[in-house]
Amino acid sequence: MFRLLRPLAASVTYTRWLHLLIPGAGYSVWMFISPESPWAPMVFAVPVGLVPGMRLAEGVQAQLLLAPDERGRADASISASSAATWADRWRTVLWLETRMLLAVPVGYATVWLLATAVDLVLTAVGNGPSDQWLVRGVEPHWWHALLAPLPLLVMLAVVVLSGRLITEAAKRLLGPSPVQRLTALEERTEQLLERNRIARELHDSIGHALTVAVVQAGAARAAHDPDFTERALAAIEETGRDALDDLERVLRVLRESGTPVGQRPTLVEADRLLDSARGSGAKIDADVSGPLERVPGAVSREGYRILQESLTNVLRHSGTVPVRVRIAIADGRLELEVTNPLSDSAADPAAVPGGGSGLRGIRERAALLGGKAETGPHEREWRVHARLPLDGLRAAP
């Protein structure tokens, strides 16, 4: 019983009722003006529905009154946009016809059933014989008032069922087209990819800075050398400033979706990473060959992050050990390799195959560019080897 009455407590039931009564009231006005042409509003709906902006107006109204919970959502089942194709225009025409065909009987039923209930009450108090179908031809009596709720219950049932029917029609006729659904899916995918990219940016940049700071602070405390301590503090300060710059870039992307990706660091700035690692005590042997400034933007930016994460892992897991860095451009691809001796005492990331979000991020960055990255032990060393293709990415921003 309560399940049947539940729709009567929902506000959307009455907003849907209002949505149906609006064209019904307009049709009643037309019938008062020109009762000899009841078909005219149906014909007039065709040119009106072909106007591109009419789909937007109907969609906004349907969202507000038929499905208010979905208003403003990107995945709303009722679209609020102008018609972009002729198919959308004809779907709008069909929607207007459907809305009017359903609104007219609902409007008449509303007026008639309400009038029936009122007439039964008046008849029960002695206001003449009833003309209503429930007690037609029966002398007025007090028990007629007991029948008054029946037309109201029928009216409410009509309201609930017709509201659900018009909502389903709106979802089918005013819902997003396949092209719009695909566009929305692509936009959602881009948003998720951007979130993952920002998460990797924060992990790589801030993680690198904190690792350098921790290593420098620990080395300065153990050295008991004022000169070394001063150099360590200077390195921590410089690394912290670089991290703040990177953080500002990421936050700018969050605040302004139009921020150009070209403002992110590239391999042209690889020296600052190498100097930061050297300042932490690591012995860096770098071999850079090829014009880094001619590497496409997308490849150069991701290569910078791969190098940054590789050096961070060395400092975090192996400490101040000798590190070989090789960056080369040959055969249409960028080769980036970072190797360091394995330490038996270090908590080496190889302990968990494929473990660690940093190593996974390196592989994901390479895969997104159509390349490949290998991470793990290699000839008694820990090696990160990334191969990023250059072809097809020349036009990347």
Side-chain angles (χ1 to χ4, degrees), residues 33-55:
I33 298 174
S34 180
E36 68 279 0
S37 55
W39 42 265
M42 303 294 292
V43 175
F44 184 66
V46 176
V48 171
L50 293 177
V51 177
M54 181 54 62
R55 185 173 184 83

Side-chain angles (χ1 to χ4, degrees), residues 39-330:
W39 42 265
M42 303 294 292
V43 175
F44 184 66
V46 176
V48 171
L50 293 177
V51 177
M54 181 54 62
R55 185 173 184 83
L56 172 61
E58 289 293 320
V60 170
Q61 186 181 149
Q63 276 192 359
L64 181 62
L65 297 178
L66 300 182
D69 293 341
E70 297 184 4
R71 189 184 180 193
R73 283 171 41 183
D75 59 342
S77 58
I78 300 176
S79 176
S81 60
S82 299
T85 63
W86 278 101
D88 288 342
R89 297 184 186 187
W90 286 112
R91 288 170 68 202
T92 307
V93 171
L94 184 57
W95 158 253
L96 292 176
E97 302 284 2
T98 302
R99 184 181 179 187
M100 193 171 300
L101 285 174
L102 190 57
V104 170
V106 169
Y108 277 118
T110 298
V111 175
W112 181 58
L113 291 172
L114 279 175
T116 299
V118 172
D119 188 66
L120 287 174
V121 173
L122 294 177
T123 302
V125 296
N127 192 17
S130 175
D131 225 4
Q132 299 301 326
W133 57 278
L134 287 175
V135 288
R136 183 175 299 165
V138 180
E139 288 298 322
H141 199 277
W142 64 267
W143 56 266
H144 288 181
L146 300 179
L147 298 177
L150 292 180
L152 297 178
L153 292 177
V154 174
M155 182 190 70
L156 292 174
V158 170
V159 168
V160 172
L161 294 177
S162 59
R164 292 178 177 176
L165 183 60
I166 195 65
T167 302
E168 289 302 317
K171 291 179 179 179
R172 293 180 178 274
L173 298 176
L174 293 180
S177 64
V179 174
Q180 290 174 322
R181 293 181 187 276
L182 181 59
T183 302
L185 180 61
E186 290 176 346
E187 291 177 354
R188 178 60 176 167
T189 302
E190 288 294 330
Q191 291 175 356
L192 293 177
L193 289 174
E194 183 67 8
R195 289 181 183 179
N196 289 335
R197 187 193 64 75
I198 291 174
R200 287 197 301 265
E201 293 281 335
L202 288 174
H203 173 273
D204 295 347
S205 178
I206 306 303
H208 173 78
L210 291 177
T211 299
V212 170
V214 170
V215 172
Q216 289 279 10
R221 184 178 61 178
H224 301 291
D225 183 349
D227 292 336
F228 182 83
T229 300
E230 184 176 354
R231 291 195 302 271
L233 291 175
I236 291 174
E237 180 183 8
E238 182 180 356
T239 303
R241 291 183 186 277
D242 291 340
L244 287 175
D245 291 340
D246 287 341
L247 180 60
E248 179 61 27
R249 291 190 184 99
V250 174
L251 293 179
R252 194 180 300 118
V253 171
L254 292 175
R255 290 193 299 263
E256 304 173 11
S257 58
T259 300
V261 294
Q263 292 186 7
R264 298 200 296 270
T266 65
L267 278 176
V268 176
E269 305 172 61
D271 286 343
R272 79 173 193 176
L273 286 178
L274 301 177
D275 292 341
S276 176
R278 291 189 181 104
S280 299
K283 301 178 179 62
I284 306 295
D285 178 15
D287 179 15
V288 180
S289 61
L292 295 182
E293 66 278 0
R294 298 180 60 183
V295 175
V299 179
S300 189
R301 287 190 294 272
E302 297 304 321
Y304 179 93
R305 291 307 185 189
I306 291 174
L307 175 61
Q308 184 179 55
E309 178 61 27
S310 301
L311 294 175
T312 301
N313 282 338
V314 172
L315 295 173
R316 181 181 298 158
H317 299 291
S318 299
T320 56
V321 298
V323 182
R324 292 197 310 275
V325 176
R326 183 174 68 89
I327 304 174
I329 301 173

